[in-house]
């Protein structure tokens, strides 16, 4: 176990401030942090102040003793990037024995991850650093484990055609979406600059894992989690932003071939007022049952309907949905239950650039059944053509292959992402 060095501060300084300084510090906190502060205090009072935290006795001593004696020692088993590790991996030094032609979407552990922390007293994230990729230590009572206080993002880095560098696709959009989600989940979030910096550092540190051109991408997974301990339901007192990466190929086992979806009308992915519109980790485990059922019956993935009318399309387990009818494109509007996908947003723009009318609206199951073409979009999925959708035992078929809009959009999007087409929109960010 290695402790993360925390320059510029007392290593074991409590997150839970001395009572005398607490009120002034509290005033400076953001609303989420103020609430968390109150809740933490309540939870601790309710606990009877007995027991210990990381072995430090809890006490009711006056004048801030109660808080200051809560030595919320922040320990971590994050493996560090030591001096021996600092030799830069070369481009030629590619990722081990990896079979670049059969990547799929499995996890291949890479060399480094980026970690940055923020406590209630810090209010903002600071001092992020790379460390060796490996297990992390979390309190059993951390907010993320107990109450699902967490968000994730997904983006890809591609090797540029001339092998001189790497390209990210709209990373600021991921950063902003994380900020929006953090607001909803009562978490502080990294600034856009911090987010993009962390992503770039992660790519550079793992550059031997970026697949050769045409073989896939380095999938980057930023996480924002409530890592601090909390027992009563409240925002965690400490947050961790962590970025790791894995080389990936196509998401579905079908590869680039069309996929087969089944409409789920018993389980729902999201509800009005819920968290469907943000990328919280809590949106994903609940779809596993439907996904497993669907896979066991030979379907690729599940298509969800709205929870109120059971009539309007929402999204698939891991991607947004589009239909095309008589040359008009429609996709469910992002009104809170649907994730505002970055690929979705880009594809809408690319389709409009090509003269298509694109409607963001309620899309009913009847609209779907009458569509000419159906496709899914997502960072992992890219643009995936749908060949069949099964609804209440009835199978509907759609156009796939050459001369489909999905194929045009797939080509247009991936050419920009890989640096094979001019990026007139300024969507790509080079890492040299
Ligand atoms: C992505 O497309 O990046 C996602 O986050 C979907 C995930 C379930 C693989």
């Amino acid at each position: 176990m290695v402790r993360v060095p925390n320059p510029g501060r007392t290593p074991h300084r409590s997150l839970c401030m001395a009572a005398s300084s607490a009120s002034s510090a509290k005033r400076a906190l953001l609303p989420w942090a103020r609430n968390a502060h109150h809740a933490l205090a309540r939870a601790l009072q309710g606990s009877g102040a007995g027991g210990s935290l990381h072995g430090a006795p809890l006490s009711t001593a006056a004048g801030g003793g109660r808080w200051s004696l809560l030595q919320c020692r922040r320990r971590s088993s994050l493996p560090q990037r030591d001096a021996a590790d600092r030799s830069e991996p070369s481009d030629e030094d590619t990722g081990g024995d990896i079979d670049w032609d059969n990547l799929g979407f499995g996890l291949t552990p890479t060399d480094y991850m980026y970690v940055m922390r923020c406590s209630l007293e810090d209010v903002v994230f600071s001092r992020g650093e790379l460390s060796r990729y490996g297990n992390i230590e979390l309190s059993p009572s951390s907010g993320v484990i107990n109450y699902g206080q967490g968000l994730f993002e997904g983006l890809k880095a591609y090797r540029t055609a001339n092998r001189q560098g790497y390209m990210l696709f709209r990373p600021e959009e991921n950063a902003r979406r994380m900020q929006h989600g953090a607001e909803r989940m009562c978490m502080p979030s990294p600034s856009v600059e911090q987010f993009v910096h962390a992503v770039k550092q992660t790519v550079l540190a793992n550059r031997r894992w970026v697949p050769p051109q045409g073989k896939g991408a380095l999938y980057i997974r930023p996480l924002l989690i409530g890592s601090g301990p909390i027992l009563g339901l409240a925002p965690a007192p400490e947050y961790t932003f962590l970025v790791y990466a894995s080389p990936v190929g196509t998401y579905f086992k079908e590869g680039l071939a069309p996929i087969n979806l089944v409409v789920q009308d018993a389980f729902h992915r999201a509800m009005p007022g819920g968290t469907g519109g943000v990328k919280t980790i809590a949106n994903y485990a609940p779809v596993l049952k439907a996904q497993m059922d669907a896979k066991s019956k030979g379907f690729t993935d599940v298509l969800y309907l709205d929870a109120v009318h059971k009539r309007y399309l929402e999204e698939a387990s891991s991607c947004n949905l589009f239909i095309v009818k008589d040359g008009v494109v429609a996709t469910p509007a992002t009104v809170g239950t649907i994730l505002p996908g970055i690929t979705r947003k880009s594809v809408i723009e690319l389709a409009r650039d090509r003269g298509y009318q694109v409607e963001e609206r309620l899309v009913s199951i009847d609209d779907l059944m009458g569509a000419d073409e159906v496709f899914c979009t997502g960072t992992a999925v890219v643009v995936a053509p749908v060949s069949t959708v099964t609804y209440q035992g009835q199978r509907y078929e759609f156009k796939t292959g050459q001369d489909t809009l999905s194929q045009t959009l797939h080509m247009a999007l991936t050419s920009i992402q890989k640096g094979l087409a001019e990026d007139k929109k300024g969507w790509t960010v080079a890492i040299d």
Side-chain angles (χ1 to χ4, degrees), residues 312-326:
Y312 298 104
L313 304 178
E314 299 242 301
E315 57 178 90
S317 310
S318 56
C319 44
N320 295 116
L321 191 88
F322 286 76
I323 65 165
V324 188
K325 174 71 180 171
D326 298 331

Side-chain angles (χ1 to χ4, degrees), residues 105 152-155 177 219-221 251 279 284 317-319 339 377-382:
F105 204 83
F152 75 93
E153 275 298 327
L155 65 163
R177 188 168 66 183
Y219 183 77
I220 302 142
R221 176 51 69 82
Y251 185 72
K279 214 162 170 62
Y284 291 82
S317 310
S318 56
C319 44
L339 190 79
T377 63
T379 298
V381 162
V382 192

Side-chain angles (χ1 to χ4, degrees), residues 229-281:
I230 191 85
L231 188 56
L233 179 58
E238 185 206 59
Y239 294 86
T240 299
F241 173 66
L242 189 155
V243 186
Y244 70 91
S246 173
V248 296
T250 54
Y251 185 72
F252 294 121
K253 70 169 171 32
E254 286 80 355
L256 295 174
I259 59 172
N260 301 291
L261 302 178
V262 61
V263 177
Q264 173 60 251
D265 50 9
F267 296 120
H268 295 279
R269 183 190 163 272
M271 75 203 94
T275 56
V278 297
K279 214 162 170 62
T280 169
I281 58 172

